[in-house]
């Protein structure tokens, strides 16, 4: 058999990626994984990972296929695990089921385990084929958060902003709700449900008093941790965030300059307050701290000052930028990124893999500021 996937297997791999997405918002800190069992080119079993402690995708697909798995091909989006975690190794399940061939979308990112699933299967006489190029990249893309956390030891950070066509995030009077239409706002709620944490600056928390919860989202819903960058612990005790801190966690990154009484008052109401050194909490340090706790994905929702700080610190991986077909105008109306800016022009951050789509009447422009980590052990750090 070929060491590269056949066209039928690549079609199954695309389907396996779709299956993997069923676990969106629930699998962290595990990866999203989908698997398909193929027999004579027909799908006879499928599965996806539903979350920590639940069966892995390969095991679910094998169970779905039953006896038809013997001599069949299993197509999975990520290298099957070869170690005991909360569940036994998938390589054991694949061998026990007597599968003849395994097609793998991308390898395990961790240096200590990477390639082991492949070699154990090959040693057992199972034919293994690895996806390459766009097919492999697509499998890495669905796990951008898992891969970033594993390789860079911090969460994957998505920056979301919404501007008028002339690049304003609010009017000169500070009015900013709503710049985008309902479809864009619904998409943001979907993203909130997908990530482990949502971050805003204290400017936004004071101006908008947001809840930062995911609302009106189909399917099982897990609320993200809400995080505020707030050097002086100014977050009001009667804010929506503080009032709901008992039900959905709120973390405030502050500094040693913050008033102890204010910190205590927030803590008394169930807010976790983390004090950092320096004038302001540093985006990358804060992200590393959250990463060490198992937070793999973060959505930064602004505002302009914090967004610029994240971009400037190299702490943004993916940009999702809504442009609404309105003109706000006004020299005093804030633009989307405050601070001194990133010139000279030759050196400003430039998005890669840029895509655009219509979302209702708005246009969503997406692009990456960092590459999704591959499996290179040398990619440690950011
Ligand atoms: N259209 C959109 O997409 C969108 C999104 C969000 C907000 N908004 C609008 O934007 C406005 C608020 O934006 P904003 O720019 O004034 O506030 P912001 O970016 O939400 O918050 C800025 C504040 O965060 C604090 N901060 C803590 N750590 C920081 C760090 N490392 N770097 C930078 N800042 C840090 C600083 O205050 P301390 O020094 O006190 O800590 C800073 O002044 C509101 O009108 C809101 O409605 C629009």
């Amino acid at each position: 058999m070929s060491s590269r996937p056949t066209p039928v297997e690549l079609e199954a791999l695309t389907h396996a990626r779709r299956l993997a997405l069923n676990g969106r918002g629930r699998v962290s800190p595990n990866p999203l994984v989908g698997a398909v069992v193929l027999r004579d080119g027909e799908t006879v079993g499928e599965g996806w990972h539903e979350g920590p402690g639940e069966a892995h995708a390969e095991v679910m697909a094998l169970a779905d296929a039953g006896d038809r798995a013997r001599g069949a091909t299993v197509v999975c989006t990520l290298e099957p695990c070869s170690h005991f975690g909360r569940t036994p190794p998938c390589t054991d399940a694949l061998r026990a089921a007597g599968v003849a061939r395994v097609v793998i979308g991308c390898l395990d990112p961790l240096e200590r385990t990477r390639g082991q699933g492949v070699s154990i299967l090959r040693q057992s006489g199972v034919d293994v084929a690895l996806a390459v190029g766009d097919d492999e990249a697509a499998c890495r893309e669905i796990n951008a958060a898992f891969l970033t956390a594993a390789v860079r030891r911090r969460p994957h950070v998505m920056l979301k902003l919404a501007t008028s066509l002339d690049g304003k995030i609010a009017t000169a009077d500070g009015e900013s709700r709503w710049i985008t239409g309902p479809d864009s706002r619904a998409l943001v709620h979907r993203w909130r449900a997908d990530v482990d944490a949502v971050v805003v600056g204290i400017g936004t928390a004071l101006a908008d008093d947001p809840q930062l919860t995911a609302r009106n989202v189909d399917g099982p819903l897990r609320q993200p941790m809400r995080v505020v960058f707030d050097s002086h612990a100014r977050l009001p005790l009667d804010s929506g965030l503080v009032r709901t801190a008992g039900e959905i966690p709120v973390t405030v990154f502050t500094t040693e300059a913050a008033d102890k009484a204010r910190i205590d008052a927030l803590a008394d109401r169930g807010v976790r307050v983390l004090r950092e050194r320096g004038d302001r909490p540093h985006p990358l340090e804060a992200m590393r701290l959250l990463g060490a706790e198992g937070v793999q994905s973060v959505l930064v929702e602004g505002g302009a000052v914090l967004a610029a700080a994240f971009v400037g610190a190299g702490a943004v991986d993916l940009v999702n930028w809504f442009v609404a077909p309105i003109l706000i105008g006004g020299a005093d109306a804030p633009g989307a990124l405050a601070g001194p800016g990133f010139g000279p022009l030759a050196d400003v951050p430039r998005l890669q893999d840029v895509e655009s789509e219509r979302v209702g009447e708005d246009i969503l422009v997406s692009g990456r500021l960092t590459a999704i980590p591959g499996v290179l052990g040398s990619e440690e750090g950011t």
Side-chain angles (χ1 to χ4, degrees):
M1 276 295 261
S2 158
S3 63
R4 292 280 173 246
T6 65
V8 171
E9 290 167 346
L10 288 178
E11 248 177 63
L13 187 60
T14 303
H15 182 50
R17 276 197 300 275
R18 270 187 232 118
L19 292 171
L21 293 176
N22 286 328
R24 234 166 39 165
R26 282 183 288 156
V27 295
S28 173
N30 288 351
L32 287 165
V33 190
V36 169
V37 183
L38 283 181
R39 206 179 164 96
D40 302 324
E42 297 293 320
T43 298
V44 295
E46 52 184 48
W48 63 90
H49 182 45
E50 290 183 340
E54 300 295 330
H56 286 189
E58 301 88 321
V59 173
M60 200 170 160
L62 289 171
D64 191 30
D67 289 345
R68 290 169 299 177
R70 190 155 295 280
T73 296
V74 173
V75 178
C76 44
T77 54
L78 184 70
E79 181 178 6
C81 69
S82 54
H83 57 276
F84 276 90
R86 290 190 184 92
T87 59
C90 288
T91 44
D92 286 3
L94 290 162
R95 287 188 302 180
V99 306
R101 180 169 158 87
V102 173
V103 175
I104 295 173
C106 66
L107 292 179
D108 186 318
L110 297 178
E111 204 166 9
R112 66 172 196 282
T113 47
R114 172 177 93 220
Q116 281 187 22
V118 174
S119 52
I120 289 172
L121 290 170
R122 283 192 173 139
Q123 279 159 22
S124 316
V126 178
D127 189 36
V128 178
L130 303 178
V132 292
D134 290 349
D135 299 301
E136 192 240 350
C139 288
R140 279 197 279 129
E141 192 171 335
I142 58 171
N143 273 317
F146 176 75
L147 293 164
T148 301
V151 174
R152 300 203 169 110
R153 303 201 194 292
R154 63 162 177 82
H156 181 264
V157 177
M158 179 205 294
L159 170 65
K160 163 255 140 184
L161 282 172
T163 61
S164 60
L165 199 53
D166 54 332
K168 307 292 190 185
I169 61 160
T171 65
D173 295 338
E175 197 189 341
S176 67
R177 282 178 163 173
W178 302 102
I179 286 180
T180 48
D183 293 355
S184 301
R185 300 204 300 270
L187 194 51
V188 173
H189 281 276
R190 173 75 258 171
W191 292 338
R192 286 180 182 171
D194 287 349
V195 295
D196 296 332
V198 176
V199 171
V200 291
I202 184 63
T204 298
L206 292 174
D208 298 346
D209 190 18
Q211 299 259 348
L212 304 177
T213 49
R215 298 184 292 275
N216 303 321
V217 174
D218 289 340
L221 188 57
R222 198 187 57 170
Q223 293 293 349
M225 176 200 296
R226 286 91 47 86
V227 178
V228 184
F229 275 57
D230 178 11
S231 316
H232 299 95
R234 288 188 286 152
L235 186 63
L237 301 180
D238 62 352
S239 61
L241 286 167
V242 176
R243 278 190 282 109
T244 55
E247 297 115 61
I248 307 165
V250 175
T251 294
V252 167
F253 280 103
T254 191
T255 64
E256 287 169 349
D259 183 40
K260 174 92 173 50
R262 287 212 59 84
I263 292 179
D264 290 346
L266 287 169
D268 282 349
R269 284 159 180 80
V271 174
R272 180 172 70 149
V273 185
L274 301 175
R275 291 171 101 176
E276 293 201 352
R277 293 218 181 96
D279 292 346
R280 282 177 164 173
H282 191 275
L284 267 182
E285 277 168 29
M287 291 304 100
R288 287 193 184 114
L289 205 146
L290 292 182
E293 295 180 339
V295 172
Q296 290 188 339
S297 52
V298 164
L299 171 62
V300 176
E301 294 205 26
V305 173
L306 191 70
F310 264 76
V311 173
V316 174
D317 299 297
L318 177 68
V319 176
N320 274 331
W321 200 288
F322 292 102
V323 182
I326 57 170
L327 302 170
I328 290 182
D332 294 334
L337 295 172
F342 308 116
L345 203 50
D347 298 332
V348 295
R350 179 176 289 271
L351 305 189
Q352 305 292 327
D353 304 331
V354 179
E355 289 178 9
S356 61
E357 64 178 285
R358 277 289 288 268
V359 182
E361 292 205 329
D362 306 323
I363 294 176
L364 171 61
V365 181
S366 313
R368 301 201 63 84
L369 284 175
T370 70
I372 297 171
V375 293
L376 304 176
S378 59
E379 282 207 43
E380 297 290 307
T382 313

